[in-house]
Amino acid sequence: MSSLLHNAAEKLHIGTHKICFVDEVAGSDDSGTGSRTAPYQSASKVIEIHGDDVKIQIKRAGEVDFIEITASALKKAKKTADGNLKKARKAEEKRITDEGKTANAQVDELRRLEDAKRIVIVQDSSLPAAKKIKIRQSVANRDTRVKVSGWIHRLRSQKGLIFIVLRDGTGFLQCVLTGQLAKTYDALTFTLESSITIFGIVSALPQGKTAPDNHELTTDYFVLEGKAPGEQEAINSRISTDTSPSTLIDLRHLVIRGETASTVLKVRAATLRGFRKAFEQLGLLEVTPPCMVQTQVEGGSTLFEFNYYGEKAYLTQSSQLYLETCLPSLGDVFCIQESFRAEKSHTRRHLSEYTHVEAELGFLDFDELLTHIEELICQTIDNVLADSKTSELLRILNPTFEPPSRPFLRMKYAQAIDYLQKNDIRDPEGKPHEFGDDIAEAAERKMTDDIGRPIFLTHFPAELKAFYMKRSKVDNRVTESADLLMPGVGEVIGASMRISEPEELFRGYAREGIDPSPYYWFTDQRKYGTCEHGGYGLGLERFLAWMCDRYTIRDCCLYPRFTGRCTP
């Protein structure tokens, strides 16, 4: 009955005053209406909305029903409401003022841009002819008038000056525009990634100021070659720290303009040069085997098959078999080219197309093969670090990088199984590793990271390895094979001695269910003057991930290809 009376009173008001209800616990100042069923949360909100001429019924924490607000509480609520209203009025006045200022500023900016369109700059014919250079040549051409083209990498305006950091792929150059040059329409509307040609003199900066190569180009003329979009289409709107990995790969053509991605690619180029120089130092000759083949190397399940003029063919998994055929005529050989694996793996160290550094060497034993690989790795790194600019770039990517010390640790597969068992490093299903298991990638990487140095993991069971790998004379269960493991990445090289006897090779074909007929040319190497020989393949992207401290090898190639990704 009391509830009905309350509701009736609420509808009719009491006297001439409206009643508003406040529930300090369950009410809401945002969605409340002041009714008993939808109360406000604060008395001050009631006064702000309904004024002083209102009766307030309030329910505080722990109270079971609404009671009339006390005089002191009402006074406090009125004071709070008055303060809030004053703040609201000031905020509204400021909003109106700001809108007016913004409108005026927009008018002023439009007027400034219209005035800028009337400014025409011309090249001063009395100045010396500009020498066309690349940014990498700017140090050698200081105090000379030059002409340099590139893309606007960074941009800022300051007190009538415009500062541009220009990028052309060979370096970065700070340029400054002053006077009328900085007032032209093109200058006032510069956008990042616009292409531009700038004329001026490169001068060393005074002590205390910094810029790339410690100099700056004072501009006397420029030509805007191609203007990049701004606002939503601006490059820094499309690529940011919040951009998803998938979108970053979609926009890889823009990502590689960034300093990190381009630095990795520059180190990649230097590493390829380093490998080629090291191979030359070690007496190997470069050859270029075919990429379209009709034989497998690493198992049929990872072959990319295609129709080759009506015949079945594949993209090569490895150039190893062809390299072996070169030994009798060309001696020790190597190649650097793409290999393809149709392996549906999404791990951070797998690609469907990768750059394969491979070599084959004749008349050597297993220990000599491992020593050669160790020498190749160390000489390559020395070659990379010998170039001061590349060394600087590598330190930017990986400040703590140190060349590996020699000799590399040599650990047999059986010893690795013991290590994994003793350190309770299990397979993905939580089971201990046993002899004969294919060591799980994560477990192998955990072991390598814990040991913290390069490891030659050797003598794998024959059943785990390819048909062409030579068995050990000491233990026929295992092969003379090795994986080179690097901390943070895992396997970067797979190597082995190759079968030298035809009979053993035919047993390898049979074990893997391979028809030997298409391999006649490979088998002939054992027929026409066989020899003890071995070789290896290095995944360049994995090697770079180790050197450059990259989380995924996808960052170590120009346009990564992996399951479901063949664009851009």
Side-chain angles (χ1 to χ4, degrees):
M1 180 64 72
S2 62
S3 177
L4 290 174
L5 290 173
H6 278 301
N7 289 337
E10 180 183 339
K11 291 178 181 178
L12 297 173
H13 304 152
I14 295 179
T16 59
H17 298 286
K18 180 181 178 181
I19 292 180
C20 279
F21 292 86
V22 173
D23 188 330
E24 292 186 343
V25 176
S28 171
D29 286 344
D30 294 325
S31 59
T33 62
S35 68
R36 175 181 286 274
T37 55
Y40 293 108
Q41 189 176 35
S42 65
S44 60
K45 192 67 175 179
V46 174
I47 296 170
E48 287 177 37
I49 295 175
H50 301 285
D52 292 346
D53 191 23
V54 65
K55 292 286 186 179
I56 298 175
Q57 295 280 312
I58 190 166
K59 181 166 68 173
R60 295 186 170 88
E63 295 178 351
V64 297
D65 205 352
F66 294 94
I67 60 173
E68 187 174 349
I69 192 170
T70 64
S72 60
L74 181 61
K75 182 178 179 181
K76 183 178 179 181
K78 288 180 178 179
K79 185 176 181 180
T80 301
D82 185 54
N84 290 340
L85 289 170
K86 285 180 179 178
K87 288 179 183 177
R89 280 195 296 271
K90 287 183 179 179
E92 180 62 15
E93 290 170 0
K94 184 177 184 303
R95 184 187 67 78
I96 293 171
T97 301
D98 288 346
E99 284 183 355
K101 288 181 179 179
T102 300
N104 291 335
Q106 289 174 344
V107 171
D108 291 343
E109 180 64 13
L110 289 172
R111 186 181 297 116
R112 186 169 75 114
L113 292 176
E114 286 301 316
D115 292 341
K117 290 178 181 179
R118 290 191 285 271
I119 298 175
V120 178
I121 58 172
V122 294
Q123 193 167 179
D124 188 345
S125 59
S126 67
L127 294 174
K131 179 181 179 182
K132 184 177 180 179
I133 66 167
K134 295 289 187 180
I135 291 176
R136 61 181 169 80
Q137 300 169 308
S138 55
V139 172
N141 286 280
R142 284 181 179 173
D143 303 320
T144 301
R145 188 166 184 260
V146 298
K147 170 186 176 182
V148 59
S149 301
W151 288 262
I152 297 177
H153 188 68
R154 292 196 187 95
L155 177 67
R156 65 185 174 92
S157 299
Q158 178 183 320
K159 297 179 180 178
L161 304 176
I162 294 177
F163 292 90
I164 290 172
V165 173
L166 195 67
R167 181 194 75 241
D168 73 348
T170 73
F172 298 91
L173 176 63
Q174 180 166 292
C175 309
V176 59
L177 279 65
T178 63
Q180 290 293 92
L181 293 175
K183 296 177 182 178
T184 64
Y185 182 81
D186 283 342
L188 294 177
T189 58
F190 277 150
T191 50
L192 294 178
E193 295 304 319
S194 292
S195 52
I196 187 173
T197 296
I198 296 181
F199 298 73
I201 294 176
V202 179
S203 304
L205 286 173
Q207 196 168 6
K209 293 189 176 182
T210 59
D213 289 325
N214 294 312
H215 59 206
E216 181 178 79
L217 184 147
T218 302
T219 306
D220 60 56
Y221 182 68
F222 73 87
V223 177
L224 184 61
E225 306 283 358
K227 188 171 184 178
E231 299 179 348
Q232 293 302 313
E233 283 294 298
I235 190 168
N236 51 356
S237 295
R238 300 184 70 188
I239 299 173
S240 69
T241 54
D242 299 327
T243 306
S244 70
S246 178
T247 301
L248 288 176
I249 297 179
D250 287 337
L251 300 178
R252 181 71 175 165
H253 59 293
L254 299 180
V255 170
I256 60 177
R257 298 186 181 206
E259 290 180 40
T260 298
S262 61
T263 297
V264 171
L265 293 175
K266 289 174 183 177
V267 172
R268 177 189 169 101
T271 303
L272 285 170
R273 290 195 301 272
F275 270 116
R276 285 191 164 94
K277 184 176 181 180
F279 279 124
E280 183 179 350
Q281 292 166 332
L282 293 169
L284 278 73
L285 180 73
E286 183 170 11
V287 294
T288 51
C291 287
M292 296 186 290
V293 302
Q294 291 186 305
T295 51
Q296 69 183 54
V297 182
E298 299 295 336
S301 64
T302 63
L303 285 167
F304 279 108
E305 183 180 322
F306 66 96
N307 185 310
Y308 186 73
Y309 303 111
E311 292 185 283
K312 185 184 293 186
Y314 314 101
L315 295 177
T316 185
Q317 299 166 312
S318 166
S319 297
Q320 174 207 319
L321 307 190
Y322 294 100
L323 292 179
E324 288 190 46
T325 68
C326 297
L327 292 177
S329 58
L330 302 175
D332 300 339
V333 290
F334 78 96
C335 71
I336 299 177
Q337 58 188 57
E338 304 311 291
S339 285
F340 305 85
R341 302 280 172 92
E343 190 170 2
K344 294 183 178 179
S345 177
H346 285 277
T347 76
R348 60 190 175 99
R349 65 175 207 163
H350 282 90
L351 290 170
S352 297
E353 176 186 14
Y354 65 98
T355 301
H356 213 172
V357 180
E358 298 184 86
E360 291 294 319
L361 301 94
F363 297 102
L364 82 172
D365 61 28
F366 187 48
D367 284 338
E368 289 173 327
L369 176 63
L370 298 188
T371 300
H372 161 85
I373 294 172
E374 186 176 292
E375 186 67 27
L376 172 76
I377 295 300
C378 293
Q379 283 197 30
T380 297
I381 293 170
D382 289 344
N383 292 339
V384 170
L385 295 179
D387 181 86
S388 58
K389 288 194 173 182
T390 303
S391 181
E392 182 181 347
L393 293 175
L394 181 58
R395 299 296 178 192
I396 291 171
L397 296 168
N398 187 0
T400 62
F401 178 78
E402 293 293 337
S405 58
R406 291 189 267 185
F408 295 173
L409 178 64
R410 298 190 183 188
M411 174 188 285
K412 290 185 177 181
Y413 166 87
Q415 293 172 315
I417 294 296
D418 289 342
Y419 181 96
L420 296 172
Q421 290 175 349
K422 289 176 182 177
N423 290 275
D424 198 30
I425 302 174
R426 299 172 175 253
D427 70 13
E429 296 178 356
K431 298 177 182 177
H433 287 85
E434 301 291 342
F435 191 94
D437 289 345
D438 191 359
I439 298 174
E441 177 187 322
E444 183 181 79
R445 197 164 60 242
K446 167 70 173 165
M447 178 184 71
T448 308
D449 291 350
D450 288 349
I451 293 173
R453 56 184 290 202
I455 302 171
F456 276 123
L457 190 58
T458 69
H459 296 90
F460 290 86
E463 291 73 18
L464 300 179
K465 289 299 182 179
F467 70 90
Y468 53 77
M469 292 191 179
K470 189 177 187 68
R471 289 180 185 260
S472 168
K473 294 178 182 177
V474 177
D475 183 352
N476 192 253
R477 299 177 305 161
V478 300
T479 54
E480 289 189 327
S481 57
D483 288 349
L484 178 59
L485 312 178
M486 290 296 195
V489 178
E491 179 192 349
V492 297
I493 289 179
S496 79
M497 294 299 292
R498 315 312 194 189
I499 292 173
S500 57
E501 298 300 324
E503 294 78 9
E504 187 180 352
L505 183 59
F506 279 111
R507 287 195 294 270
Y509 290 142
R511 189 188 77 218
E512 297 299 324
I514 296 173
D515 177 5
S517 300
Y519 295 83
Y520 70 92
W521 51 273
F522 180 67
T523 307
D524 272 355
Q525 301 309 306
R526 283 81 185 161
K527 181 178 178 181
Y528 291 90
T530 190
C531 72
E532 293 297 309
H533 64 288
Y536 53 89
L538 176 145
L540 180 68
E541 289 79 11
R542 289 189 185 181
F543 187 77
L544 286 167
W546 166 69
M547 280 184 67
C548 301
D549 192 28
R550 299 298 96 186
Y551 176 75
T552 171
I553 67 172
R554 295 175 186 178
D555 292 339
C556 299
C557 56
L558 187 60
Y559 289 100
R561 297 289 184 256
F562 52 93
T563 307
R565 169 67 65 173
C566 201
T567 57

